[in-house]
mmCIF file of all heavy atoms in Angstrom:
data_model
loop_
_atom_site.group_PDB
_atom_site.id
_atom_site.type_symbol
_atom_site.label_atom_id
_atom_site.label_comp_id
_atom_site.label_asym_id
_atom_site.label_seq_id
_atom_site.Cartn_x
_atom_site.Cartn_y
_atom_site.Cartn_z
ATOM 1 N N LEU A 5 113.332 75.589 -38.021
ATOM 2 C CA LEU A 5 113.400 74.700 -36.889
ATOM 3 C C LEU A 5 113.759 73.228 -37.417
ATOM 4 O O LEU A 5 114.478 72.527 -36.764
ATOM 5 C CB LEU A 5 111.937 74.543 -36.295
ATOM 6 C CG LEU A 5 111.679 75.826 -35.310
ATOM 7 C CD1 LEU A 5 110.185 75.644 -34.858
ATOM 8 C CD2 LEU A 5 112.489 75.907 -34.205
ATOM 9 N N LEU A 6 113.290 72.946 -38.616
ATOM 10 C CA LEU A 6 113.579 71.647 -39.131
ATOM 11 C C LEU A 6 115.045 71.430 -39.606
ATOM 12 O O LEU A 6 115.625 70.435 -39.557
ATOM 13 C CB LEU A 6 112.624 71.332 -40.361
ATOM 14 C CG LEU A 6 111.136 71.171 -40.024
ATOM 15 C CD1 LEU A 6 110.441 70.967 -41.219
ATOM 16 C CD2 LEU A 6 110.923 69.942 -39.015
ATOM 17 N N GLN A 7 115.654 72.581 -40.074
ATOM 18 C CA GLN A 7 116.982 72.456 -40.537
ATOM 19 C C GLN A 7 118.011 72.678 -39.341
ATOM 20 O O GLN A 7 118.965 71.811 -39.257
ATOM 21 C CB GLN A 7 117.278 73.544 -41.551
ATOM 22 C CG GLN A 7 118.785 73.520 -42.097
ATOM 23 C CD GLN A 7 118.953 74.611 -43.151
ATOM 24 O OE1 GLN A 7 118.035 74.995 -43.853
ATOM 25 N NE2 GLN A 7 120.234 75.006 -43.290
ATOM 26 N N PHE A 8 117.794 73.507 -38.526
ATOM 27 C CA PHE A 8 118.679 73.771 -37.460
ATOM 28 C C PHE A 8 118.387 73.079 -36.121
ATOM 29 O O PHE A 8 119.321 72.735 -35.351
ATOM 30 C CB PHE A 8 118.773 75.386 -37.229
ATOM 31 C CG PHE A 8 119.115 76.201 -38.480
ATOM 32 C CD1 PHE A 8 118.409 77.230 -38.810
ATOM 33 C CD2 PHE A 8 120.265 75.912 -39.233
ATOM 34 C CE1 PHE A 8 118.612 77.917 -39.900
ATOM 35 C CE2 PHE A 8 120.584 76.649 -40.296
ATOM 36 C CZ PHE A 8 119.740 77.761 -40.653
ATOM 37 N N ALA A 9 117.060 72.824 -35.953
ATOM 38 C CA ALA A 9 116.585 72.273 -34.653
ATOM 39 C C ALA A 9 117.254 72.897 -33.427
ATOM 40 O O ALA A 9 117.671 72.175 -32.479
ATOM 41 C CB ALA A 9 117.043 70.785 -34.788
ATOM 42 N N SER A 10 117.288 74.219 -33.409
ATOM 43 C CA SER A 10 117.871 74.970 -32.350
ATOM 44 C C SER A 10 117.370 76.358 -32.210
ATOM 45 O O SER A 10 116.542 76.793 -33.031
ATOM 46 C CB SER A 10 119.537 75.090 -32.508
ATOM 47 O OG SER A 10 119.809 75.901 -33.618
ATOM 48 N N ILE A 11 117.822 77.068 -31.245
ATOM 49 C CA ILE A 11 117.394 78.561 -31.084
ATOM 50 C C ILE A 11 117.756 79.357 -32.220
ATOM 51 O O ILE A 11 117.192 80.500 -32.386
ATOM 52 C CB ILE A 11 117.858 79.017 -29.711
ATOM 53 C CG1 ILE A 11 117.157 80.326 -29.206
ATOM 54 C CG2 ILE A 11 119.440 79.281 -29.817
ATOM 55 C CD1 ILE A 11 115.621 80.059 -28.926
ATOM 56 N N LYS A 12 118.710 78.906 -33.003
ATOM 57 C CA LYS A 12 119.143 79.585 -34.104
ATOM 58 C C LYS A 12 118.053 80.054 -35.106
ATOM 59 O O LYS A 12 117.932 81.078 -35.677
ATOM 60 C CB LYS A 12 120.242 79.021 -34.885
ATOM 61 C CG LYS A 12 120.811 79.703 -36.171
ATOM 62 C CD LYS A 12 121.853 78.938 -36.927
ATOM 63 C CE LYS A 12 122.265 79.650 -38.103
ATOM 64 N NZ LYS A 12 123.302 78.966 -38.938
ATOM 65 N N ALA A 13 117.061 79.161 -35.301
ATOM 66 C CA ALA A 13 115.845 79.394 -36.123
ATOM 67 C C ALA A 13 115.197 80.626 -35.603
ATOM 68 O O ALA A 13 114.752 81.387 -36.521
ATOM 69 C CB ALA A 13 115.042 78.127 -36.202
ATOM 70 N N LEU A 14 114.884 80.590 -34.375
ATOM 71 C CA LEU A 14 114.008 81.778 -33.933
ATOM 72 C C LEU A 14 114.844 83.028 -33.919
ATOM 73 O O LEU A 14 114.272 84.105 -34.224
ATOM 74 C CB LEU A 14 113.613 81.532 -32.411
ATOM 75 C CG LEU A 14 112.747 80.216 -32.155
ATOM 76 C CD1 LEU A 14 112.471 80.069 -30.751
ATOM 77 C CD2 LEU A 14 111.550 80.299 -33.006
ATOM 78 N N VAL A 15 116.192 83.006 -33.767
ATOM 79 C CA VAL A 15 117.061 84.225 -33.915
ATOM 80 C C VAL A 15 116.944 84.754 -35.273
ATOM 81 O O VAL A 15 116.779 85.921 -35.534
ATOM 82 C CB VAL A 15 118.426 83.965 -33.363
ATOM 83 C CG1 VAL A 15 119.326 85.139 -33.703
ATOM 84 C CG2 VAL A 15 118.438 83.550 -31.882
ATOM 85 N N MET A 16 117.100 83.785 -36.283
ATOM 86 C CA MET A 16 117.046 84.136 -37.636
ATOM 87 C C MET A 16 115.848 84.778 -38.042
ATOM 88 O O MET A 16 115.798 85.816 -38.662
ATOM 89 C CB MET A 16 117.230 82.843 -38.490
ATOM 90 C CG MET A 16 117.118 83.133 -40.046
ATOM 91 S SD MET A 16 116.959 81.443 -40.966
ATOM 92 C CE MET A 16 115.414 80.848 -40.283
ATOM 93 N N VAL A 17 114.721 84.260 -37.628
ATOM 94 C CA VAL A 17 113.356 84.817 -37.967
ATOM 95 C C VAL A 17 113.225 86.177 -37.330
ATOM 96 O O VAL A 17 112.718 87.135 -38.043
ATOM 97 C CB VAL A 17 112.220 83.820 -37.624
ATOM 98 C CG1 VAL A 17 110.897 84.572 -37.848
ATOM 99 C CG2 VAL A 17 112.306 82.651 -38.533
ATOM 100 N N ALA A 18 113.559 86.262 -36.055
ATOM 101 C CA ALA A 18 113.446 87.525 -35.302
ATOM 102 C C ALA A 18 114.211 88.687 -35.953
ATOM 103 O O ALA A 18 113.748 89.793 -36.232
ATOM 104 C CB ALA A 18 113.950 87.311 -33.828
ATOM 105 N N VAL A 19 115.485 88.244 -36.412
ATOM 106 C CA VAL A 19 116.391 89.339 -36.932
ATOM 107 C C VAL A 19 115.907 89.703 -38.322
ATOM 108 O O VAL A 19 115.638 90.922 -38.633
ATOM 109 C CB VAL A 19 117.826 88.841 -36.984
ATOM 110 C CG1 VAL A 19 118.748 89.805 -37.812
ATOM 111 C CG2 VAL A 19 118.353 88.751 -35.642
ATOM 112 N N VAL A 20 115.645 88.702 -39.190
ATOM 113 C CA VAL A 20 115.382 88.988 -40.640
ATOM 114 C C VAL A 20 113.948 89.677 -40.757
ATOM 115 O O VAL A 20 113.881 90.665 -41.389
ATOM 116 C CB VAL A 20 115.570 87.681 -41.504
ATOM 117 C CG1 VAL A 20 115.064 87.990 -42.896
ATOM 118 C CG2 VAL A 20 116.981 87.191 -41.442
ATOM 119 N N TYR A 21 113.011 88.990 -40.183
ATOM 120 C CA TYR A 21 111.622 89.514 -40.392
ATOM 121 C C TYR A 21 111.386 90.718 -39.524
ATOM 122 O O TYR A 21 110.529 91.551 -39.882
ATOM 123 C CB TYR A 21 110.672 88.412 -40.044
ATOM 124 C CG TYR A 21 110.583 87.471 -41.186
ATOM 125 C CD1 TYR A 21 111.473 86.382 -41.378
ATOM 126 C CD2 TYR A 21 109.514 87.465 -42.103
ATOM 127 C CE1 TYR A 21 111.400 85.537 -42.437
ATOM 128 C CE2 TYR A 21 109.360 86.598 -43.063
ATOM 129 C CZ TYR A 21 110.320 85.605 -43.217
ATOM 130 O OH TYR A 21 110.194 84.736 -44.434
ATOM 131 N N GLY A 22 111.991 90.814 -38.409
ATOM 132 C CA GLY A 22 111.909 92.184 -37.637
ATOM 133 C C GLY A 22 112.431 93.236 -38.395
ATOM 134 O O GLY A 22 111.864 94.379 -38.498
ATOM 135 N N ALA A 23 113.716 93.143 -38.855
ATOM 136 C CA ALA A 23 114.336 94.140 -39.677
ATOM 137 C C ALA A 23 113.594 94.414 -40.997
ATOM 138 O O ALA A 23 113.443 95.673 -41.348
ATOM 139 C CB ALA A 23 115.835 93.802 -39.957
ATOM 140 N N GLY A 24 112.952 93.449 -41.578
ATOM 141 C CA GLY A 24 112.226 93.636 -42.711
ATOM 142 C C GLY A 24 110.943 94.464 -42.474
ATOM 143 O O GLY A 24 110.612 95.328 -43.326
ATOM 144 N N GLN A 25 110.350 94.120 -41.383
ATOM 145 C CA GLN A 25 109.096 95.047 -40.976
ATOM 146 C C GLN A 25 109.423 96.413 -40.714
ATOM 147 O O GLN A 25 108.686 97.312 -41.218
ATOM 148 C CB GLN A 25 108.450 94.396 -39.749
ATOM 149 C CG GLN A 25 107.403 93.266 -40.074
ATOM 150 C CD GLN A 25 106.236 93.804 -40.843
ATOM 151 O OE1 GLN A 25 106.238 93.684 -42.116
ATOM 152 N NE2 GLN A 25 105.239 94.158 -40.183
ATOM 153 N N VAL A 26 110.513 96.662 -40.079
ATOM 154 C CA VAL A 26 111.064 98.051 -39.798
ATOM 155 C C VAL A 26 111.272 98.713 -41.037
ATOM 156 O O VAL A 26 110.959 99.941 -41.359
ATOM 157 C CB VAL A 26 112.210 98.075 -38.876
ATOM 158 C CG1 VAL A 26 112.809 99.492 -38.751
ATOM 159 C CG2 VAL A 26 111.807 97.541 -37.475
ATOM 160 N N LEU A 27 112.082 98.086 -41.945
ATOM 161 C CA LEU A 27 112.412 98.711 -43.337
ATOM 162 C C LEU A 27 111.153 98.958 -44.045
ATOM 163 O O LEU A 27 111.068 100.105 -44.731
ATOM 164 C CB LEU A 27 113.401 97.715 -44.044
ATOM 165 C CG LEU A 27 113.752 98.123 -45.414
ATOM 166 C CD1 LEU A 27 114.646 99.417 -45.365
ATOM 167 C CD2 LEU A 27 114.550 96.927 -46.083
ATOM 168 N N GLU A 28 110.274 97.972 -44.202
ATOM 169 C CA GLU A 28 109.125 98.181 -45.067
ATOM 170 C C GLU A 28 108.095 99.234 -44.558
ATOM 171 O O GLU A 28 107.707 100.094 -45.259
ATOM 172 C CB GLU A 28 108.454 96.808 -45.131
ATOM 173 C CG GLU A 28 107.177 96.839 -46.079
ATOM 174 C CD GLU A 28 105.860 97.108 -45.467
ATOM 175 O OE1 GLU A 28 105.736 96.790 -44.178
ATOM 176 O OE2 GLU A 28 105.003 97.670 -45.974
ATOM 177 N N SER A 29 107.900 99.206 -43.240
ATOM 178 C CA SER A 29 106.885 100.171 -42.670
ATOM 179 C C SER A 29 107.329 101.575 -42.421
ATOM 180 O O SER A 29 106.558 102.500 -42.484
ATOM 181 C CB SER A 29 106.341 99.528 -41.311
ATOM 182 O OG SER A 29 107.267 99.287 -40.387
ATOM 183 N N LEU A 30 108.547 101.661 -42.053
ATOM 184 C CA LEU A 30 109.120 103.068 -41.748
ATOM 185 C C LEU A 30 109.805 103.787 -42.894
ATOM 186 O O LEU A 30 109.933 104.961 -42.847
ATOM 187 C CB LEU A 30 110.156 102.838 -40.551
ATOM 188 C CG LEU A 30 109.453 102.368 -39.211
ATOM 189 C CD1 LEU A 30 110.586 102.417 -38.171
ATOM 190 C CD2 LEU A 30 108.393 103.136 -38.799
ATOM 191 N N TYR A 31 110.198 103.065 -43.921
ATOM 192 C CA TYR A 31 110.932 103.669 -44.931
ATOM 193 C C TYR A 31 110.361 103.340 -46.360
ATOM 194 O O TYR A 31 110.035 104.272 -47.084
ATOM 195 C CB TYR A 31 112.429 103.206 -44.971
ATOM 196 C CG TYR A 31 113.234 103.867 -46.060
ATOM 197 C CD1 TYR A 31 113.717 105.196 -45.943
ATOM 198 C CD2 TYR A 31 113.539 103.237 -47.183
ATOM 199 C CE1 TYR A 31 114.446 105.805 -46.861
ATOM 200 C CE2 TYR A 31 114.325 103.807 -48.246
ATOM 201 C CZ TYR A 31 114.689 105.065 -47.991
ATOM 202 O OH TYR A 31 115.486 105.741 -49.003
ATOM 203 N N LEU A 32 110.243 102.041 -46.741
ATOM 204 C CA LEU A 32 109.838 101.790 -48.033
ATOM 205 C C LEU A 32 108.423 102.219 -48.406
ATOM 206 O O LEU A 32 108.203 102.855 -49.451
ATOM 207 C CB LEU A 32 109.994 100.245 -48.439
ATOM 208 C CG LEU A 32 111.436 99.811 -48.406
ATOM 209 C CD1 LEU A 32 111.405 98.187 -48.639
ATOM 210 C CD2 LEU A 32 112.174 100.485 -49.549
ATOM 211 N N THR A 33 107.469 101.813 -47.601
ATOM 212 C CA THR A 33 106.032 102.120 -47.906
ATOM 213 C C THR A 33 105.731 103.605 -47.868
ATOM 214 O O THR A 33 105.198 104.139 -48.761
ATOM 215 C CB THR A 33 105.066 101.383 -46.949
ATOM 216 O OG1 THR A 33 105.200 100.010 -47.113
ATOM 217 C CG2 THR A 33 103.703 101.873 -47.124
ATOM 218 N N PRO A 34 106.275 104.401 -46.900
ATOM 219 C CA PRO A 34 106.059 105.812 -46.955
ATOM 220 C C PRO A 34 106.892 106.485 -48.172
ATOM 221 O O PRO A 34 106.263 107.396 -48.731
ATOM 222 C CB PRO A 34 106.681 106.353 -45.640
ATOM 223 C CG PRO A 34 106.583 105.205 -44.638
ATOM 224 C CD PRO A 34 106.853 104.061 -45.591
ATOM 225 N N ARG A 35 107.916 105.932 -48.531
ATOM 226 C CA ARG A 35 108.727 106.538 -49.650
ATOM 227 C C ARG A 35 108.192 106.079 -51.015
ATOM 228 O O ARG A 35 108.028 107.053 -51.809
ATOM 229 C CB ARG A 35 110.261 105.978 -49.554
ATOM 230 C CG ARG A 35 111.010 106.809 -48.623
ATOM 231 C CD ARG A 35 111.664 107.997 -49.397
ATOM 232 N NE ARG A 35 112.709 108.591 -48.643
ATOM 233 C CZ ARG A 35 113.575 109.373 -49.273
ATOM 234 N NH1 ARG A 35 113.519 109.666 -50.511
ATOM 235 N NH2 ARG A 35 114.598 109.880 -48.586
ATOM 236 N N LEU A 36 107.840 104.928 -51.156
ATOM 237 C CA LEU A 36 107.456 104.370 -52.450
ATOM 238 C C LEU A 36 106.070 104.409 -52.781
ATOM 239 O O LEU A 36 105.448 104.698 -53.893
ATOM 240 C CB LEU A 36 107.938 102.974 -52.657
ATOM 241 C CG LEU A 36 109.462 102.863 -52.582
ATOM 242 C CD1 LEU A 36 109.997 101.451 -52.834
ATOM 243 C CD2 LEU A 36 110.248 103.675 -53.679
ATOM 244 N N VAL A 37 105.209 104.024 -51.729
ATOM 245 C CA VAL A 37 103.684 104.085 -51.943
ATOM 246 C C VAL A 37 103.172 105.538 -51.663
ATOM 247 O O VAL A 37 102.348 105.948 -52.479
ATOM 248 C CB VAL A 37 103.031 103.154 -50.884
ATOM 249 C CG1 VAL A 37 101.584 103.227 -51.054
ATOM 250 C CG2 VAL A 37 103.614 101.714 -51.231
ATOM 251 N N GLY A 38 103.815 106.194 -50.734
ATOM 252 C CA GLY A 38 103.488 107.633 -50.584
ATOM 253 C C GLY A 38 102.533 107.899 -49.426
ATOM 254 O O GLY A 38 101.645 107.097 -49.082
ATOM 255 N N GLU A 39 102.702 108.975 -48.886
ATOM 256 C CA GLU A 39 101.869 109.392 -47.799
ATOM 257 C C GLU A 39 100.401 109.646 -48.249
ATOM 258 O O GLU A 39 99.412 109.595 -47.460
ATOM 259 C CB GLU A 39 102.304 110.805 -47.134
ATOM 260 C CG GLU A 39 103.694 110.600 -46.462
ATOM 261 C CD GLU A 39 103.673 109.689 -45.277
ATOM 262 O OE1 GLU A 39 102.497 109.525 -44.745
ATOM 263 O OE2 GLU A 39 104.695 109.150 -44.736
ATOM 264 N N ARG A 40 100.216 109.970 -49.500
ATOM 265 C CA ARG A 40 98.907 110.262 -50.069
ATOM 266 C C ARG A 40 98.034 109.111 -50.032
ATOM 267 O O ARG A 40 96.707 109.260 -49.881
ATOM 268 C CB ARG A 40 99.076 110.767 -51.533
ATOM 269 C CG ARG A 40 97.870 111.295 -52.141
ATOM 270 C CD ARG A 40 98.081 111.814 -53.472
ATOM 271 N NE ARG A 40 96.877 112.498 -54.032
ATOM 272 C CZ ARG A 40 96.843 113.004 -55.214
ATOM 273 N NH1 ARG A 40 97.909 113.141 -56.023
ATOM 274 N NH2 ARG A 40 95.744 113.447 -55.645
ATOM 275 N N ILE A 41 98.477 107.901 -50.075
ATOM 276 C CA ILE A 41 97.660 106.685 -50.057
ATOM 277 C C ILE A 41 97.616 106.052 -48.707
ATOM 278 O O ILE A 41 96.718 105.344 -48.295
ATOM 279 C CB ILE A 41 98.166 105.672 -51.040
ATOM 280 C CG1 ILE A 41 98.207 106.403 -52.374
ATOM 281 C CG2 ILE A 41 97.369 104.402 -51.140
ATOM 282 C CD1 ILE A 41 98.704 105.417 -53.455
ATOM 283 N N GLY A 42 98.682 106.347 -47.913
ATOM 284 C CA GLY A 42 98.855 105.688 -46.499
ATOM 285 C C GLY A 42 97.537 105.656 -45.710
ATOM 286 O O GLY A 42 97.251 106.676 -45.134
ATOM 287 N N LEU A 43 96.898 104.572 -45.675
ATOM 288 C CA LEU A 43 95.767 104.447 -44.813
ATOM 289 C C LEU A 43 96.287 104.025 -43.384
ATOM 290 O O LEU A 43 97.265 103.396 -43.111
ATOM 291 C CB LEU A 43 94.814 103.200 -45.390
ATOM 292 C CG LEU A 43 94.187 103.540 -46.668
ATOM 293 C CD1 LEU A 43 93.469 102.212 -47.206
ATOM 294 C CD2 LEU A 43 93.180 104.631 -46.668
#
């Protein structure tokens, strides 16, 4: 918001952090941490 002062900031966060959550929760954590620990 401070750098762009526009809707681009919200789009950036939604895309990057949304994709990051999908990647981490649906692929990386089950693959690397393992189903055995998954609480």
Side-chain angles (χ1 to χ4, degrees):
L5 287 175
L6 292 177
Q7 179 178 335
F8 305 125
S10 68
I11 196 66
K12 179 182 178 180
L14 300 180
V15 173
M16 174 191 69
V17 171
V19 171
V20 175
Y21 281 79
Q25 273 295 91
V26 172
L27 175 65
E28 183 266 331
S29 60
L30 298 183
Y31 182 78
L32 290 178
T33 296
R35 276 273 192 162
L36 299 178
V37 178
E39 296 293 341
R40 187 173 184 179
I41 303 175
L43 295 171

